[in-house]
Amino acid sequence: MRRLVECVCVVLPLTLGAAAAAPSNEFRVCADPNNMPFSNRAEQGFENRLAAMIAKQFGMQLSYTWWAQRRGFIRNTLKAGKCDVVMGVPDHFEMAETTKPYYRSTYVFVTRQDRHLDLSSLLDPRLHQLRIGVHLIGDDGNNSPPAEALGEQGIVDNVRGYSIYGDYREADPPARLIEAVESGEIDVAAAWGPLGGYFAGQSPVGLVVIPIQDGERFAPQQFQFSISMGVRKDDHGLRDRLNNFIDGHRSEIASLLRSYGVPLVETQTSSGGG
């Protein structure tokens, strides 16, 4: 989920409250209509595909409430009772009841294959000279974890920010960062893995995606995040049904994610609220 993790990055400064109960035979999903590779109105994202799998398993009709994942997303969708599940939120996301994680991913470096840079370390001395692109997060343009780590090393003047939101009138706003690598505008992008992996795979030129290996050196900054589904607070029934689905379909979920270029790392054990 682009803006809930590239913002675990997405910071939505809201609180959840009580909301209406779900209709009986609908699997009602809160989603962004322009948020690939996660979701779009044409239902082409991996979260769309996953939601369809779950609805079929539950014998329910899939329906969507579409809302841009910006400030007010949770308030106007899940909290308002218009839908019942957000398909991708950080594990233990404080604004929702969360399931067990169904994947864990990492920040990555994306470079042109013909440059042969093969970057994997935030401590690589070449980063002091290379043109680096990062996503600016949230409505206030906050720094992503890679940007913070680079700043700690005094790598600032050669870093360029690209808004995670971009121009919402255009398709796939976060793709602009990867397109900048593609065009040679920058030498390397440091991006959230699902974004970097997917858009690199869509590029007409060869791009290399390598997980950032040494993020732990910049604690408390985190570079790997476990992703869960989110339901309304105290909706334990739906949470438990989703947990059962996750447990029973982990191999299919992993295959789906890999087909979208999502870099997967080992998922840490989590209670998933239950």
Side-chain angles (χ1 to χ4, degrees):
M1 183 177 197
R2 174 179 75 219
R3 295 159 188 135
L4 286 180
V5 175
E6 181 64 43
C7 300
V8 171
C9 295
V10 155
V11 177
L12 297 172
L14 307 169
T15 56
L16 286 175
S24 59
N25 68 335
E26 280 190 295
F27 186 63
R28 305 190 307 166
V29 175
C30 322
D32 190 316
N34 186 19
N35 191 16
M36 289 295 284
F38 309 97
S39 64
N40 68 7
R41 196 177 293 274
E43 301 181 29
Q44 296 170 318
F46 68 75
E47 290 181 358
N48 299 125
R49 295 271 304 278
L50 182 57
M53 289 168 57
I54 295 170
K56 182 177 180 180
Q57 179 71 25
F58 288 0
M60 302 174 80
Q61 182 70 36
L62 177 61
S63 66
Y64 282 97
T65 294
W66 300 110
W67 201 278
Q69 275 183 24
R70 303 190 180 195
R71 189 183 301 273
F73 175 73
I74 295 292
R75 181 182 67 241
N76 289 293
T77 57
L78 195 67
K79 181 182 175 182
K82 295 178 180 178
C83 44
D84 307 307
V85 58
V86 180
M87 295 302 298
V89 299
D91 189 27
H92 300 303
F93 185 51
E94 64 180 14
M95 301 175 202
E97 189 90 12
T98 56
T99 65
K100 297 177 180 180
Y102 65 94
Y103 75 98
R104 184 174 176 84
S105 194
T106 178
Y107 275 83
V108 297
F109 286 127
V110 182
T111 58
R112 284 182 63 115
Q113 190 172 30
D114 58 13
R115 295 290 307 279
H116 305 291
L117 293 172
D118 299 324
L119 289 162
S120 62
S121 172
L122 287 159
L123 300 174
D124 193 308
R126 293 175 294 174
L127 292 174
H128 288 268
Q129 285 80 42
L130 293 172
R131 297 167 297 169
I132 306 166
V134 297
H135 273 134
L136 299 177
I137 297 166
D139 295 332
D140 301 322
N142 295 321
N143 285 335
S144 63
E148 291 287 349
L150 293 168
E152 285 183 27
Q153 302 176 79
I155 302 173
V156 176
D157 293 340
N158 55 322
V159 177
R160 178 171 178 178
Y162 294 77
S163 173
I164 193 74
Y165 293 145
D167 185 344
Y168 201 72
R169 296 169 297 182
E170 299 178 1
D172 310 324
R176 305 296 89 79
L177 172 59
I178 308 306
E179 289 168 357
V181 177
E182 181 184 298
S183 68
E185 182 178 306
I186 58 176
D187 301 308
V188 55
W192 174 231
L195 295 172
Y198 176 75
F199 290 121
Q202 303 296 305
S203 173
V205 304
L207 299 180
V208 177
V209 180
I210 299 179
I212 293 174
Q213 299 294 334
D214 50 7
E216 70 280 353
R217 299 190 183 192
F218 297 92
Q221 292 296 328
Q222 290 180 258
F223 291 80
Q224 297 182 0
F225 295 95
S226 294
I227 305 302
S228 303
M229 301 174 207
V231 301
R232 274 185 296 280
K233 292 283 190 179
D234 301 322
D235 192 350
H236 303 314
L238 179 55
R239 179 205 65 197
D240 291 346
R241 291 189 74 188
L242 292 170
N243 279 341
N244 289 336
F245 177 89
I246 291 167
D247 285 340
H249 296 82
R250 287 197 179 274
S251 62
E252 297 97 320
I253 294 170
S255 294
L256 171 64
L257 294 165
R258 291 190 186 101
S259 74
Y260 280 77
V262 177
L264 299 178
V265 297
E266 184 177 353
T267 303
Q268 295 177 345
T269 302
S270 172
S271 64

